[in-house]
Amino acid sequence: MPDLKLLHDAVLNGDAKVARTVTEEALAAGAEPVRLVQDYMMPAMAEVGRRFESGECFVPELLLSARAMKTALAILRPLLVTTGVPPVGRVIIGTVQGDLHDIGKNLVASVLEGGGFEVIDLGTDVSPEAFLAGVREKKPHIVALSALLTTTMPAMRTTIEALEEAGVRREIKVLVGGAPITQRFSDEIGADGYSDSATGAVRLAHDLLGV
Amino acid sequence: MNAERAIVKTGSTTNCFNRAVLAATRRQALPIAVYPGLALTGAKVSDIVTNPVAQVEAQAALHERYRTSFVLSAMDLSAEAEAFGSAIRFSEGEVPTVTGRLVTDLAGVERLAVPQPGDKRTAVSLEAVRGLRGLSGRPLVLGGCIGPFSLAARLIGVSEAMELTVTEPELMHALLAKSAAFLGAYVRALRDAGADGAIMAEPAAGLLSPNALGAFSSAYIKPIGESVADGHFALILHNCAAKLPHLSAVLASGLRSFHFGAPMDLAAALTKLPSDVVLCGNLDPAGVFCQCSPEQIRVTAADLLAKTSSFSNFVISSGCDLPPGVKLENLDAFYDAVAVQSASPTAAKLN
Ligand code: B12
């Protein structure tokens, strides 16, 4: 069995290659996939999020950690499914229509994955119709919307309205975030939660689902 | 406390912008506002970024309304990438933006031809600068361009550029060399077109660590600044994402004039600068200019003016470019707050 601390450190230091090899070696040596995720990767990602928020690391480091975690998760996810370990919840995330900013959205997606959620990323410039189609197809517990432009903030409202009109709004929780978003705006458009950080998004997601 | 106040070393040549600010008897204001002028001229965003006449008219209308000491060309941070060949998404009501990645690897970077100033829409800013020269009252004319790291990031992808600074720094340096070669020539072309200075916007660099900002941004800006430092031309470095820990790395560009966004603690930054280096900033375009009421804007602006009142090297501004949606009554409130503070007894300190 490889030293699993190496997996923790690979995510922390953003080293996707090491994350992959340690994950493969650990699996070959009989490690339980869920332990790798919960005991090593999730704490590492939580620490990266903390360091980012306190200004100890910056966007490049955070993106690399997210990539390392995704690389290991790609190997582990199919095994988690076959061994019957359910994700904490399913999230559909995307940047709203007209908006191409995705750095914050990607970080939120990664930290949610690190927090045990299954995340389906619809990308950027996602129309209300595309969110609705995603909800119908994937049956998520949460829809997370990101917007970085004042001009695209209204698209959050139209997305929520589209979900309401289609009669699916009550089945899901809607989270919103992005630099110009405020709690007030979130309340105004009838979202279920707002956070200004990726780690806050995970806490919120846990609270909303009561998990 | 003494260590806190340690003054950071900066370049030596001053410029017309700093001289105007330091000689002024009242607080100077320089909101980055061209698009809000559309409310006065009735043109569209798409006109501003393609038609220098529409651009000059929008700026002239704001100049007329507020009697500004400075006029600007529009911030259009996809024009330079388009000149390199990037695909651009245009729409009537939005500032155009780059889509996709023009280069992905070293071979692509090596093949990349450096464009000429005036190629594609960079001709619009050059022409706008010529037009702004003709405005009454002879305000200082500031052209605008993107910064070397942000341009490189738009060519190779912004998220990708972030990661490449760590995983393949040599690739980023090769791309930065081309980005900076173009921008050096472009800034000189703006000067030759009659600009008294230029605001170079380097937003993406503020997401890097301070060390990386020094290596991937300031190191490339320094020679550009030196090439136009003639005692008159003012290269003003704008970074809307930088925070206080980035300050020294930004100053390492050797420039004498800086413009910061809302994340920067301006009052603290001012204590770390020599008194002849000018700092502009930093009321949030979205959180303040777009979303606040005129009354709230007056209060927020007055608060920033109060915090910075003892510094004659401060210029109150927006933290970044003001989008077309900013209401004129909000800009009015901003200028009102500046006028009120200038008329108050503390303003005497400016002399
Ligand atoms: C990088 C950047 C870009 C890059 C984007 C690259 C990319 N792939 O994302 C590029 C260069 C392409 C770009 C383009 C533009 N940009 Co831009 N950009 C920025 C910049 C510098 C940083 C944004 C960023 O990534 N921050 C870092 C991340 C980590 O922070 P974040 O996104 O806020 O996310 C955090 C939280 O908000 C939260 N969060 C985010 N999403 C969500 C979602 C949920 C559900 C939750 C709970 C939380 C959450 O968690 C994240 C992690 O902590 C900002 C300036 C700034 N200082 O913010 C401008 C900024 C956002 N851009 C701006 C503008 C105007 C533009 C352009 C219109 C300019 C132009 N014409 O070129 C275009 C628009 C293109 C488009 N249609 O989308 C303005 C927006 C003003 C406004 N509010 O309207 C800003 C604020 C700069 C400014 N002028 O002040 N930009």
Side-chain angles (χ1 to χ4, degrees), chain A residues 17-199:
Chain A
K17 270 194 206 134
V18 174
R20 180 201 307 270
T21 41
V22 179
T23 304
E24 285 168 350
E25 284 169 21
L27 288 175
E32 249 188 282
V34 64
R35 295 264 69 84
L36 297 185
V37 178
Q38 284 185 3
D39 299 349
Y40 299 94
M41 290 159 56
M42 278 164 54
M45 207 56 210
E47 171 61 11
V48 178
R50 190 200 62 75
R51 287 189 185 178
F52 178 66
E53 274 150 37
S54 67
E56 291 162 66
C57 81
F58 295 84
V59 168
E61 293 78 15
L62 201 50
L63 289 172
L64 287 167
S65 288
R67 183 178 296 277
M69 201 194 59
K70 271 196 185 143
T71 308
L73 263 185
I75 304 170
L76 294 169
R77 198 178 289 115
L79 302 173
L80 290 172
V81 175
T82 52
T83 51
V85 180
V88 194
R90 186 178 301 129
V91 182
I92 281 191
I93 192 167
T95 307
V96 297
Q97 191 159 41
D99 202 323
L100 301 172
H101 293 86
D102 67 358
I103 296 174
K105 184 262 298 163
N106 292 348
L107 295 175
V108 172
S110 302
V111 180
L112 279 170
E113 278 191 327
F117 288 86
E118 177 191 350
V119 179
I120 299 148
D121 187 346
L122 300 183
T124 59
D125 192 10
V126 182
S127 66
E129 298 74 39
F131 274 112
L132 180 59
V135 168
R136 287 201 163 123
E137 191 194 334
K138 304 286 183 185
K139 307 257 174 287
H141 305 94
I142 292 177
V143 173
L145 310 176
S146 182
L148 266 283
L149 298 169
T150 38
T151 48
T152 56
M153 285 166 63
M156 290 185 154
R157 188 193 297 270
T158 33
T159 303
I160 293 180
E161 283 167 1
L163 297 174
E164 265 161 12
E165 276 161 31
V168 297
R169 174 69 181 91
R170 282 213 240 141
E171 298 153 26
I172 49 170
K173 300 289 180 193
V174 176
L175 291 188
V176 294
I181 311 301
T182 57
Q183 184 64 53
R184 200 172 92 197
F185 179 75
S186 162
D187 295 342
E188 241 173 65
I189 62 170
D192 299 299
Y194 152 78
S195 167
D196 64 357
S197 73
T199 46

Side-chain angles (χ1 to χ4, degrees), chain A residues 58-61 63-64 67 98 100 102-103 106 125 150 153 180 182, chain B residues 89 97 158-159 162-163 165-167 207-210 246 286 290-291:
Chain A
F58 295 84
V59 168
E61 293 78 15
L63 289 172
L64 287 167
R67 183 178 296 277
L100 301 172
D102 67 358
I103 296 174
N106 292 348
D125 192 10
T150 38
M153 285 166 63
T182 57
Chain B
R89 189 172 91 167
T97 191
V158 180
S159 293
M162 296 288 150
E163 294 187 24
T165 60
V166 179
T167 56
L207 301 179
L208 300 171
S209 68
H246 290 108
C290 291
Q291 294 174 7

Side-chain angles (χ1 to χ4, degrees), chain B residues 200-222:
Chain B
M200 175 182 269
E202 186 67 314
L207 301 179
L208 300 171
S209 68
N211 277 341
L213 183 146
F216 294 97
S217 173
S218 296
Y220 290 90
I221 294 171
K222 197 164 195 255

